[in-house]
Amino acid sequence: MECTVSYSDKKKKVVIERNCSLKSIVDATVGMNDRLYVAAFVDGKLKELNSEVSDCENVSLVEVTSVIGNDLYKRSLQLLMLKAIHDVMIDDTNYVTRVMYSLGRGFFCKIIKEDFYITEEFLLKVKERMNELVKEDIPFRKLVISTQDAINQFNERGLFEKADLFKYRRVSKANLYAIDDYLDYYYGYMVPSTGYLTAFDLLSYEDGFVLVVPKRLTMDMNFTYHAPAKLYQTLREAEDWGRALGISGVGQMNNLITEGKSNQLILVQEALMEKKIADIAEKIKNEGRKVVLIAGPSSSGKTTFSMRLSVQLAAHGLRPHPISMDNFFKERVDTPRDENGQYDFESIGAMDMGLFNDDMRRLIQGEEVDMPEFDFIQGKKIFKGNMMKMQEGDVLVVEGIHALNPVSSESLPKDKIFKVYISALQQLNIDEHNRISTTDTRLLRRIVRDARTRGNDARRTISMWESVRVGEEKNIFPYQEEADVMFNSALLYELSAIKQYVEPLLFCVPQDCNEYYEAKRLLKFLDYFLGIDVSLVPQNSLMREFIGGGCFGI
């Protein structure tokens, strides 16, 4: 039997035997020692390299440097780390390791055990054991057991979030992964063996440690890891909120929903968010700030946040004036182009930062300024005599992707500027070892909003998402630590609310397109959540920016 194997912009005809492993096809195509490829699409369906194939026409190899391949690598690395911790603590089973949240180029983890403290000696032992397991090149085994057996195993090991999660599974079987005798459940596929996981580090941080992962495009560790301190504090606060409500995993969330307590959860979450916004408004007033600069990645809720902040500023006796940085684009003829010759509207070079700084400075000084409006059809700024002059108590509320870039405020008095970074930093995890990606939360938000407000189907939104993320990595994330305040726009209940809006959109993605795998992955992810009655979501909720029905008319 012959099939076509695609890899690295090449194609090769390979003769395969029936029921052979995908790993053997990779070996026959590129050589046995090549660890660049970690999975494969077989006739359009993603499969692990340890899978067997009986009949196929096209095999497309997945590189570890791709988004999909890198996710496999990081997920497998977490299981390798947990196996190593298990081996180091072999005589002590009374502990739980938690993979908490993404922290820059790494994952913050904790070991929950009474009177246990992370030491450099302990981390060195774990790292040495990880390296030993890598050298042994142990295959990742997939085991199929009954869902009830999985629940029993997790309860015995103190992994109660996993046990709660499985209570709501609709299937009778569960897929577990094993390295030797260590078993665990993971949402997603694994690389073929431990020998693929050569790049990583472990560093102590606060009351836990960070599993540092390599750069995606180069898979090297040629960088010095620095934990983003403000991001950590914001995530830690969100974690504390969740624990105060008794929710850290999806299973616990589902328990609360089945107990009829979703309305209480929504009210408490919204109250916590409103309090945070009110605290920010009070800080702005007390410090006499005149310009609030707000930035954050796509679908973080910047628009609703700026409106709710404006309401709170007014409640504190100030007069907010919203300003969009989009009105300060350069004329189209002056817009820089990317490597493909297309206009690069995401670059700060596309913004007239000179005019923005000059207008903001003059407004702060009490001068009258003719504010521009950018005409996106003509590709130029229009001045319509929209005059603005700040009075006592006036505050400018500016929203834009480059708002935290130091260039945006280089000519402005530092004591008059207040910077806010906003993102949906999801504090809820699937279970003790499976995180919920902030990126996934934002993508689901954007799919729903784009369908409602822009007429884009899920396929189109998914197809644009990687380029959106590239722009965020370049223009937004590097400046998040510049913020005076980080605002977390994630809500514990939001995935249970957005589920019913986004699932029909994802089911419409055709099977024969490149975006189908991502749509299917997101549908599988959403299957963990029970839905809630969205009529309970307040009209001023940040969620209304995406699902609609809000009081701000977004």
Coordinates of all heavy atoms in Angstrom, one line a residue, residues 19-99:
N19 N -1.8 -1.8 9.2 CA -1.6 -1.8 10.6 C -0.2 -1.5 11.1 O 0.2 -1.9 12.2 CB -2.1 -3.1 11.2 CG -3.5 -3.4 11.0 OD1 -4.4 -2.5 10.9 ND2 -3.9 -4.7 10.8
C20 N 0.5 -0.6 10.3 CA 1.8 -0.1 10.8 C 1.6 1.1 11.6 O 0.5 1.8 11.5 CB 2.7 0.1 9.6 SG 2.2 1.6 8.6
S21 N 2.6 1.5 12.4 CA 2.5 2.7 13.2 C 2.8 3.9 12.4 O 3.6 3.8 11.4 CB 3.4 2.6 14.4 OG 4.7 2.7 14.1
L22 N 2.3 5.1 12.8 CA 2.7 6.3 12.1 C 4.1 6.6 12.3 O 4.8 7.2 11.5 CB 1.8 7.5 12.6 CG 0.4 7.6 12.0 CD1 -0.4 8.7 12.7 CD2 0.6 8.0 10.5
K23 N 4.6 6.2 13.5 CA 6.1 6.4 13.8 C 6.9 5.7 12.7 O 8.0 6.2 12.3 CB 6.4 5.9 15.2 CG 7.9 6.1 15.6 CD 8.2 7.5 15.8 CE 9.6 7.7 16.4 NZ 10.7 7.1 15.7
S24 N 6.5 4.5 12.3 CA 7.3 3.8 11.3 C 7.3 4.5 10.0 O 8.2 4.5 9.2 CB 6.8 2.4 11.2 OG 5.5 2.3 10.6
I25 N 6.1 5.2 9.7 CA 6.1 6.0 8.4 C 7.0 7.2 8.5 O 7.7 7.5 7.5 CB 4.6 6.4 8.2 CG1 3.7 5.2 8.0 CG2 4.5 7.4 7.0 CD1 2.2 5.6 7.8
V26 N 7.1 7.8 9.7 CA 8.0 8.9 9.8 C 9.4 8.4 9.7 O 10.3 9.1 9.0 CB 7.8 9.6 11.2 CG1 8.9 10.7 11.5 CG2 6.4 10.2 11.3
D27 N 9.8 7.3 10.3 CA 11.1 6.8 10.2 C 11.5 6.5 8.7 O 12.6 6.7 8.3 CB 11.2 5.5 11.0 CG 11.1 5.8 12.5 OD1 11.3 6.9 12.9 OD2 10.9 4.8 13.3
A28 N 10.5 5.9 8.0 CA 10.8 5.6 6.6 C 10.9 6.8 5.7 O 11.6 6.8 4.7 CB 9.7 4.7 6.1
T29 N 10.3 7.9 6.2 CA 10.3 9.1 5.4 C 11.5 10.0 5.7 O 12.2 10.5 4.7 CB 9.0 9.9 5.6 OG1 7.9 9.1 5.4 CG2 9.0 11.2 4.7
V30 N 11.8 10.3 6.9 CA 12.9 11.2 7.3 C 14.0 10.6 8.1 O 14.9 11.3 8.4 CB 12.2 12.4 8.0 CG1 11.2 13.2 7.2 CG2 11.6 12.0 9.3
G31 N 13.9 9.4 8.5 CA 14.9 8.8 9.3 C 14.5 8.5 10.8 O 13.7 9.3 11.3
M32 N 15.1 7.5 11.4 CA 14.7 7.1 12.7 C 15.1 8.1 13.8 O 14.5 8.1 14.9 CB 15.3 5.7 13.0 CG 14.8 4.6 12.1 SD 15.4 3.0 12.6 CE 14.7 2.8 14.2
N33 N 16.1 8.9 13.6 CA 16.6 9.8 14.7 C 16.0 11.2 14.6 O 16.4 12.1 15.3 CB 18.1 9.9 14.6 CG 18.7 8.5 14.9 OD1 18.3 7.8 15.8 ND2 19.8 8.2 14.2
D34 N 15.0 11.4 13.7 CA 14.5 12.8 13.5 C 13.3 12.9 14.5 O 12.3 12.2 14.5 CB 13.9 12.9 12.1 CG 13.7 14.4 11.7 OD1 13.1 15.1 12.6 OD2 14.1 14.8 10.6
R35 N 13.5 13.9 15.4 CA 12.5 14.2 16.5 C 11.7 15.5 16.2 O 11.1 16.0 17.1 CB 13.1 14.2 17.8 CG 13.8 12.9 18.2 CD 12.8 11.8 18.4 NE 13.5 10.5 18.6 CZ 13.7 9.9 19.8 NH1 13.3 10.6 20.9 NH2 14.2 8.7 19.9
L36 N 11.8 16.0 14.9 CA 11.1 17.2 14.6 C 9.6 17.0 14.5 O 8.9 17.9 14.8 CB 11.7 17.7 13.2 CG 11.0 19.0 12.7 CD1 11.2 20.2 13.6 CD2 11.6 19.3 11.3
Y37 N 9.2 15.8 14.1 CA 7.8 15.5 13.9 C 7.2 14.8 15.0 O 7.7 13.8 15.5 CB 7.6 14.8 12.6 CG 8.3 15.5 11.4 CD1 9.5 15.1 10.9 CD2 7.6 16.6 10.8 CE1 10.1 15.8 9.9 CE2 8.2 17.3 9.8 CZ 9.5 16.9 9.3 OH 10.1 17.6 8.3
V38 N 6.1 15.3 15.6 CA 5.5 14.7 16.8 C 4.1 14.2 16.6 O 3.6 13.6 17.6 CB 5.5 15.8 17.9 CG1 7.0 16.1 18.3 CG2 4.8 17.1 17.5
A39 N 3.5 14.4 15.5 CA 2.1 13.9 15.2 C 1.9 13.9 13.7 O 2.8 14.3 13.0 CB 1.1 14.7 16.0
A40 N 0.7 13.6 13.3 CA 0.4 13.6 11.9 C -1.1 13.7 11.6 O -1.9 13.2 12.4 CB 1.0 12.3 11.2
F41 N -1.4 14.4 10.5 CA -2.8 14.4 10.0 C -2.9 13.2 9.0 O -2.1 13.2 8.0 CB -3.1 15.7 9.4 CG -3.5 16.8 10.3 CD1 -2.5 17.7 10.7 CD2 -4.7 16.9 10.9 CE1 -2.8 18.7 11.6 CE2 -5.1 17.9 11.8 CZ -4.1 18.8 12.2
V42 N -3.8 12.3 9.3 CA -4.0 11.1 8.4 C -5.3 11.3 7.7 O -6.4 11.3 8.3 CB -4.0 9.8 9.1 CG1 -4.2 8.6 8.2 CG2 -2.6 9.6 9.9
D43 N -5.3 11.6 6.4 CA -6.5 11.9 5.6 C -7.3 13.0 6.3 O -8.5 12.9 6.4 CB -7.3 10.7 5.4 CG -6.6 9.7 4.4 OD1 -5.8 10.2 3.6 OD2 -6.9 8.5 4.5
G44 N -6.6 14.0 6.9 CA -7.2 15.2 7.5 C -7.5 15.0 9.0 O -8.0 16.0 9.6
K45 N -7.3 13.9 9.6 CA -7.6 13.7 11.0 C -6.3 13.6 11.8 O -5.4 12.8 11.5 CB -8.4 12.4 11.2 CG -8.8 12.2 12.6 CD -9.7 10.9 12.8 CE -10.2 10.7 14.2 NZ -11.1 9.5 14.3
L46 N -6.1 14.4 12.9 CA -4.9 14.4 13.7 C -4.8 13.0 14.4 O -5.8 12.6 15.1 CB -4.9 15.5 14.7 CG -3.6 15.7 15.5 CD1 -2.5 16.1 14.6 CD2 -3.8 16.7 16.6
K47 N -3.6 12.5 14.4 CA -3.3 11.2 15.1 C -2.0 11.3 15.8 O -1.1 12.0 15.3 CB -3.4 10.0 14.2 CG -4.8 9.7 13.7 CD -4.8 8.4 12.8 CE -6.2 8.0 12.5 NZ -7.0 7.5 13.6
E48 N -1.8 10.5 16.9 CA -0.5 10.4 17.5 C 0.4 9.5 16.7 O -0.1 8.6 16.0 CB -0.7 9.9 18.9 CG -1.4 10.8 19.8 CD -1.8 10.2 21.2 OE1 -2.4 9.2 21.2 OE2 -1.4 10.8 22.2
L49 N 1.7 9.7 16.8 CA 2.6 8.8 16.0 C 2.6 7.4 16.5 O 3.0 6.5 15.8 CB 4.0 9.4 16.1 CG 4.2 10.8 15.4 CD1 5.7 11.1 15.3 CD2 3.6 10.8 14.0
N50 N 2.2 7.1 17.7 CA 2.1 5.8 18.2 C 0.8 5.0 17.7 O 0.7 3.9 17.9 CB 2.1 5.7 19.7 CG 3.5 6.0 20.3 OD1 4.5 5.8 19.7 ND2 3.5 6.5 21.5
S51 N 0.0 5.8 17.0 CA -1.3 5.2 16.4 C -0.9 4.3 15.2 O 0.1 4.5 14.5 CB -2.2 6.3 16.0 OG -2.6 7.1 17.0
E52 N -1.8 3.3 15.0 CA -1.6 2.4 13.9 C -2.6 2.9 12.8 O -3.6 3.5 13.0 CB -2.0 1.0 14.2 CG -1.0 0.3 15.1 CD -1.3 -1.2 15.3 OE1 -2.4 -1.6 14.9 OE2 -0.4 -1.9 15.9
V53 N -2.2 2.7 11.5 CA -3.0 3.1 10.4 C -3.1 1.8 9.5 O -2.2 1.0 9.3 CB -2.4 4.2 9.5 CG1 -2.4 5.5 10.3 CG2 -0.9 3.9 9.1
S54 N -4.3 1.6 9.0 CA -4.6 0.4 8.2 C -4.7 0.8 6.7 O -4.4 0.0 5.8 CB -5.9 -0.3 8.7 OG -7.0 0.6 8.7
D55 N -5.2 2.0 6.5 CA -5.4 2.4 5.1 C -5.5 3.9 5.0 O -6.2 4.5 5.8 CB -6.7 1.8 4.6 CG -6.9 2.1 3.1 OD1 -5.9 2.4 2.4 OD2 -8.0 2.0 2.6
C56 N -4.6 4.5 4.2 CA -4.7 6.0 4.1 C -4.0 6.4 2.8 O -3.3 5.7 2.2 CB -3.9 6.7 5.3 SG -2.2 6.3 5.3
E57 N -4.4 7.6 2.3 CA -3.9 8.2 1.1 C -2.9 9.3 1.4 O -1.9 9.4 0.6 CB -5.0 8.7 0.2 CG -6.0 7.6 -0.3 CD -7.1 8.1 -1.1 OE1 -7.0 9.4 -1.4 OE2 -7.9 7.4 -1.6
N58 N -3.1 10.1 2.4 CA -2.3 11.3 2.6 C -1.9 11.4 4.1 O -2.8 11.3 5.0 CB -3.0 12.5 2.2 CG -3.2 12.6 0.7 OD1 -2.3 12.7 -0.1 ND2 -4.5 12.4 0.3
V59 N -0.7 11.5 4.4 CA -0.2 11.7 5.7 C 0.6 13.0 5.7 O 1.6 13.2 5.0 CB 0.7 10.6 6.2 CG1 1.3 10.9 7.5 CG2 0.0 9.3 6.2
S60 N 0.2 14.0 6.6 CA 0.9 15.3 6.7 C 1.5 15.3 8.1 O 0.8 15.3 9.1 CB -0.1 16.4 6.5 OG 0.5 17.7 6.6
L61 N 2.8 15.4 8.2 CA 3.5 15.4 9.4 C 3.5 16.7 10.1 O 3.5 17.8 9.5 CB 5.0 15.0 9.2 CG 5.3 13.6 8.5 CD1 6.8 13.3 8.5 CD2 4.5 12.5 9.1
V62 N 3.3 16.7 11.4 CA 3.2 17.9 12.3 C 4.5 18.2 13.0 O 5.0 17.3 13.7 CB 2.1 17.7 13.3 CG1 2.0 18.9 14.2 CG2 0.7 17.5 12.6
E63 N 5.1 19.3 12.7 CA 6.4 19.7 13.3 C 6.1 20.2 14.8 O 5.1 20.8 15.1 CB 7.1 20.8 12.5 CG 7.5 20.4 11.1 CD 8.3 21.4 10.4 OE1 8.7 22.4 11.1 OE2 8.5 21.3 9.2
V64 N 7.1 19.9 15.6 CA 7.1 20.4 17.0 C 7.1 21.9 17.1 O 6.6 22.5 18.1 CB 8.2 19.8 17.8 CG1 9.6 20.4 17.4 CG2 8.0 19.9 19.3
T65 N 7.5 22.6 16.1 CA 7.6 24.0 16.1 C 6.2 24.7 15.7 O 6.1 25.9 15.7 CB 8.7 24.6 15.2 OG1 8.5 24.0 13.9 CG2 10.0 24.2 15.7
S66 N 5.3 23.9 15.2 CA 4.0 24.4 14.9 C 3.2 24.6 16.2 O 3.5 24.1 17.3 CB 3.2 23.4 14.0 OG 2.9 22.2 14.7
V67 N 2.0 25.3 16.1 CA 1.2 25.5 17.3 C 0.7 24.2 17.8 O 0.8 24.0 19.0 CB 0.0 26.5 16.9 CG1 -0.9 26.6 18.1 CG2 0.5 27.9 16.5
I68 N 0.2 23.3 17.0 CA -0.3 22.0 17.4 C 0.8 21.2 18.0 O 0.7 20.6 19.1 CB -1.0 21.3 16.2 CG1 -2.2 22.0 15.8 CG2 -1.3 19.9 16.6 CD1 -2.9 21.5 14.5
G69 N 1.9 21.1 17.3 CA 3.1 20.3 17.8 C 3.6 20.8 19.1 O 4.0 20.0 20.0
N70 N 3.7 22.1 19.2 CA 4.2 22.7 20.5 C 3.3 22.4 21.6 O 3.7 22.2 22.8 CB 4.4 24.2 20.3 CG 5.4 24.8 21.3 OD1 5.0 25.6 22.1 ND2 6.6 24.3 21.3
D71 N 2.0 22.4 21.4 CA 1.0 22.1 22.5 C 1.2 20.6 22.9 O 1.2 20.3 24.1 CB -0.4 22.2 22.0 CG -0.8 23.7 21.9 OD1 -0.2 24.5 22.6 OD2 -1.9 24.0 21.3
L72 N 1.5 19.7 22.0 CA 1.8 18.3 22.3 C 3.0 18.2 23.2 O 3.1 17.5 24.2 CB 2.0 17.5 21.0 CG 0.8 16.7 20.5 CD1 -0.2 17.6 19.9 CD2 1.2 15.6 19.5
Y73 N 4.1 19.0 22.8 CA 5.3 19.0 23.5 C 5.1 19.4 25.0 O 5.6 18.8 25.9 CB 6.3 19.9 22.8 CG 7.7 19.8 23.4 CD1 8.7 19.0 22.8 CD2 8.1 20.6 24.5 CE1 10.0 18.9 23.4 CE2 9.4 20.5 25.0 CZ 10.3 19.7 24.5 OH 11.6 19.6 25.0
K74 N 4.5 20.6 25.1 CA 4.3 21.1 26.5 C 3.4 20.2 27.3 O 3.7 20.0 28.5 CB 3.7 22.5 26.4 CG 4.6 23.6 25.8 CD 4.1 25.0 25.8 CE 2.9 25.1 24.8 NZ 2.5 26.6 24.7
R75 N 2.4 19.6 26.7 CA 1.5 18.7 27.5 C 2.3 17.5 27.9 O 2.2 17.0 29.1 CB 0.3 18.3 26.6 CG -0.7 17.5 27.3 CD -1.9 17.2 26.4 NE -2.4 18.4 25.7 CZ -2.4 18.6 24.4 NH1 -1.8 17.7 23.6 NH2 -2.9 19.7 23.9
S76 N 3.1 16.9 27.0 CA 3.9 15.8 27.3 C 4.9 16.1 28.4 O 5.3 15.3 29.3 CB 4.6 15.2 26.1 OG 3.6 15.0 25.1
L77 N 5.5 17.3 28.3 CA 6.5 17.7 29.3 C 5.9 17.8 30.7 O 6.6 17.4 31.7 CB 7.1 19.1 28.9 CG 8.3 19.6 29.6 CD1 9.5 18.6 29.4 CD2 8.7 21.0 29.1
Q78 N 4.7 18.2 30.8 CA 4.0 18.2 32.1 C 3.9 16.8 32.7 O 4.1 16.6 33.9 CB 2.7 18.9 32.0 CG 2.8 20.4 31.7 CD 1.4 21.0 31.4 OE1 0.4 20.5 31.9 NE2 1.4 22.1 30.6
L79 N 3.5 15.9 31.8 CA 3.4 14.5 32.3 C 4.7 13.9 32.7 O 4.9 13.2 33.8 CB 2.7 13.6 31.3 CG 2.5 12.1 31.6 CD1 1.8 12.0 32.9 CD2 1.8 11.4 30.5
L80 N 5.8 14.3 32.0 CA 7.1 13.8 32.3 C 7.5 14.4 33.7 O 8.1 13.7 34.5 CB 8.1 14.3 31.3 CG 9.6 14.1 31.6 CD1 9.9 12.6 31.5 CD2 10.5 14.9 30.6
M81 N 7.2 15.7 33.9 CA 7.5 16.3 35.2 C 6.8 15.6 36.4 O 7.4 15.3 37.4 CB 7.2 17.8 35.2 CG 7.4 18.5 36.5 SD 6.6 20.2 36.5 CE 4.8 19.7 36.6
L82 N 5.5 15.3 36.2 CA 4.7 14.7 37.2 C 5.2 13.3 37.5 O 5.3 12.9 38.7 CB 3.2 14.7 36.8 CG 2.6 16.0 36.7 CD1 1.2 15.9 36.0 CD2 2.4 16.6 38.1
K83 N 5.6 12.6 36.5 CA 6.2 11.3 36.7 C 7.5 11.4 37.5 O 7.8 10.6 38.4 CB 6.5 10.6 35.3 CG 7.5 9.4 35.3 CD 7.1 8.2 36.1 CE 8.1 7.1 35.9 NZ 7.8 6.0 36.9
A84 N 8.3 12.4 37.2 CA 9.6 12.5 37.9 C 9.4 12.9 39.4 O 10.0 12.4 40.3 CB 10.4 13.6 37.2
I85 N 8.4 13.8 39.6 CA 8.0 14.1 41.0 C 7.6 12.9 41.7 O 7.9 12.6 42.9 CB 7.0 15.2 41.0 CG1 7.6 16.6 40.5 CG2 6.4 15.4 42.4 CD1 6.6 17.7 40.3
H86 N 6.7 12.1 41.1 CA 6.3 10.8 41.7 C 7.4 9.9 42.0 O 7.4 9.3 43.1 CB 5.4 10.1 40.6 CG 5.1 8.7 41.0 ND1 4.2 8.3 42.0 CD2 5.6 7.5 40.5 CE1 4.1 7.0 42.0 NE2 5.0 6.5 41.2
D87 N 8.4 9.8 41.2 CA 9.6 9.0 41.5 C 10.4 9.5 42.6 O 11.0 8.8 43.4 CB 10.4 8.8 40.2 CG 9.8 8.0 39.1 OD1 8.7 7.4 39.4 OD2 10.3 7.9 38.0
V88 N 10.6 10.9 42.6 CA 11.4 11.5 43.7 C 10.7 11.3 45.1 O 11.4 11.1 46.1 CB 11.7 13.0 43.4 CG1 12.3 13.7 44.6 CG2 12.6 13.1 42.2
M89 N 9.4 11.4 45.1 CA 8.6 11.3 46.3 C 8.0 9.9 46.4 O 6.9 9.8 47.0 CB 7.5 12.4 46.3 CG 8.1 13.8 46.2 SD 6.9 15.1 46.3 CE 6.4 15.0 48.1
I90 N 8.6 8.9 46.0 CA 8.1 7.6 45.9 C 7.6 7.0 47.2 O 6.6 6.3 47.3 CB 9.1 6.6 45.3 CG1 8.4 5.3 44.9 CG2 10.3 6.4 46.2 CD1 7.4 5.4 43.8
D91 N 8.2 7.4 48.3 CA 7.8 6.9 49.6 C 6.7 7.8 50.3 O 6.3 7.5 51.4 CB 9.0 6.8 50.5 CG 10.0 5.8 50.0 OD1 9.6 4.8 49.5 OD2 11.2 6.1 50.2
D92 N 6.3 8.8 49.6 CA 5.3 9.7 50.1 C 4.2 10.0 49.1 O 4.4 10.6 48.1 CB 5.9 11.0 50.5 CG 5.0 12.0 51.3 OD1 3.8 11.6 51.4 OD2 5.4 13.0 51.7
T93 N 3.0 9.4 49.3 CA 1.9 9.6 48.4 C 0.9 10.6 48.8 O -0.1 10.9 48.1 CB 1.2 8.2 48.2 OG1 0.7 7.8 49.5 CG2 2.1 7.2 47.6
N94 N 1.1 11.2 50.0 CA 0.2 12.2 50.6 C 0.5 13.6 50.1 O 0.8 14.5 50.9 CB 0.2 12.1 52.1 CG -0.9 12.9 52.7 OD1 -2.0 13.1 52.1 ND2 -0.7 13.4 53.9
Y95 N 0.4 13.8 48.8 CA 0.6 15.1 48.2 C -0.1 15.2 46.9 O -0.5 14.2 46.3 CB 2.1 15.4 48.0 CG 2.7 14.6 46.8 CD1 2.8 15.2 45.5 CD2 3.1 13.3 46.9 CE1 3.2 14.5 44.4 CE2 3.6 12.6 45.8 CZ 3.6 13.2 44.6 OH 4.1 12.5 43.5
V96 N -0.3 16.4 46.4 CA -0.9 16.7 45.1 C -0.1 17.8 44.4 O 0.2 18.8 44.9 CB -2.4 17.1 45.1 CG1 -2.9 17.6 43.8 CG2 -3.2 16.0 45.7
T97 N 0.4 17.5 43.2 CA 1.0 18.5 42.4 C 0.0 19.2 41.5 O -0.8 18.5 40.9 CB 2.1 17.9 41.5 OG1 3.0 17.1 42.2 CG2 2.9 18.9 40.7
R98 N 0.0 20.5 41.5 CA -0.9 21.3 40.7 C -0.2 22.1 39.6 O 0.8 22.8 40.0 CB -1.8 22.2 41.6 CG -2.7 21.5 42.6 CD -3.5 22.6 43.3 NE -4.4 23.3 42.3 CZ -5.6 22.9 41.9 NH1 -6.1 21.8 42.4 NH2 -6.3 23.6 41.1
V99 N -0.6 22.0 38.4 CA -0.1 22.8 37.3 C -1.1 24.0 37.2 O -2.3 23.8 36.8 CB -0.1 22.1 36.0 CG1 0.4 23.0 34.9 CG2 0.8 20.8 36.1

